Amino acid sequence: MNKKFTAIRGMPDVLPQNVAAWHAFEDIWRKLISAYGYEEIRLPILETTGLFKRSIGEATDIVEKEMFTFQSKDDKESLTMRPEGTAGCVRAGIEHGLLYHQIRRMWYMGPMFRYERPQKGRYRQFHQVGVEAFGLSDTDIEVEQLLLTARLWRELKIDSAITLEVNSLGSLEARRKYRQILVDYLEKYQKDLDEDSQRRLVTNPLRILDSKNPAMQDIIAGAPKCQEYLDDDSVRHFNDLLQRLSDLGVSYQVNPNLVRGLDYYNRTVYEWVTDKLGAQGAVCAGGRYDTLVEQLGGNETPAVGFAMGIERILLLQEALGIESQTAVDIYFIHAGAKAERECIRFSEELRDFNLSWRMIVHSGGGNFKHQFKQADKSGAKIALILGDEELEKGAVSVKFMRAAEEQLSISRNEVKQFLINHLGR
Ligand code: ATP
Ligand code: MG
């Protein structure tokens, strides 16, 4: 036998039995995001490596160690499989003149790639949905995006397991000042810092606050808080945001150690977190990034956005016992060549009438017993049966597959109404 191929580590298949949950998520998402007037943008997976270095930041986990990067075939440029969507979205917005003097609300969905240690809820190919709004500097846009995510959790029935943590990083200048104050504090504990934090002390000290290592928690708890070093405008912005959230009944927790791992954020940062997924508890993360557009060569444009990991949302639904419908509605059984022909014709008539009933017409032959087994396996609620007897009478037999009821016979012209009564439109 030839050697079998297997999937690349950390790049899981989504199997047919799991796809229903993805569809359910995507359907809810599309409906909800269009209700808020956001437009979809579809972006390429490959971008120039420099785009991510300049936006996410050289000294971040993503750029330092998580990117899938390789040389183009002609060896002229370095390419990277996108680890996130914001950089590409901003690049496209500038390139196509979508941002200049305009207000834009956009969203995207698709695979992202990060070279991480694979575990439950953490993969090397995973999927994000994200939104970005450009041209708005007031807190109303943060509030809009938080309201729409809160609504999403309710629609997905996971709102009871998710909480919102917010923080403000202040202006870039305030952040720079705070960075020095933090470094001065951390240097006193240099010997006690773990290896990651030792490295970050030089490259990205704010990220140390985000460490999940229990041994680091006392040092982190004693660190000066960036809240105390915010510029006045950022303080006003943050207070305004918190006030609006309270007025609208959106619960939140201020987490002074929330810094986010990417360089481009200023002022507002937030995460929606759950305690049901262990170390993979961040479900959705976002914030304001008012300088990124300029940094990538565009005009000064305020911006706010977030991204969520679809796999983590589906894992959370699974942990809460929320199931999505995978089964078909109808399994159409038939016996004999003539009945088979009529069955195929009639099934097309039913699809002309209502395309939202999910129906399998049996194929592959076999007797009634075999076909009923297949019908059962399909999870169908209803089996329709067409044999010689039914053909002669102009009827169809019906069996409820999930109930202990007798098979019944109905005339062909009653079938549509019967299905509406039992399956809806
Ligand atoms: P974490 O702290 O868990 O590594 P992150 O801060 O790196 O998350 P972001 O870059 O903010 O994550 O990405 C936004 C969202 O994308 C996360 O909240 C998470 O839901 C999801 N996500 C990020 N990395 C992965 C991954 N490797 N596998 C699955 N989902 C991921
Ligand atoms: Mg990460």
Side-chain angles (χ1 to χ4, degrees), residues 191-230:
K191 285 194 310 296
D192 308 319
L193 298 180
D194 62 13
E195 199 183 311
D196 263 350
S197 303
Q198 300 251 3
R199 184 170 44 82
R200 285 173 177 153
L201 190 56
V202 186
T203 59
N204 194 355
L206 262 66
R207 188 67 163 147
I208 295 176
L209 301 177
D210 208 23
S211 165
K212 307 278 187 300
N213 182 354
M216 295 288 303
Q217 296 313 310
D218 281 348
I219 298 178
I220 292 170
K225 304 286 177 252
C226 82
Q227 298 276 305
E228 291 156 31
Y229 301 92
L230 295 185

Side-chain angles (χ1 to χ4, degrees), residues 326-337:
T326 53
V328 294
D329 298 308
I330 304 163
Y331 197 97
F332 212 147
I333 289 170
H334 49 81

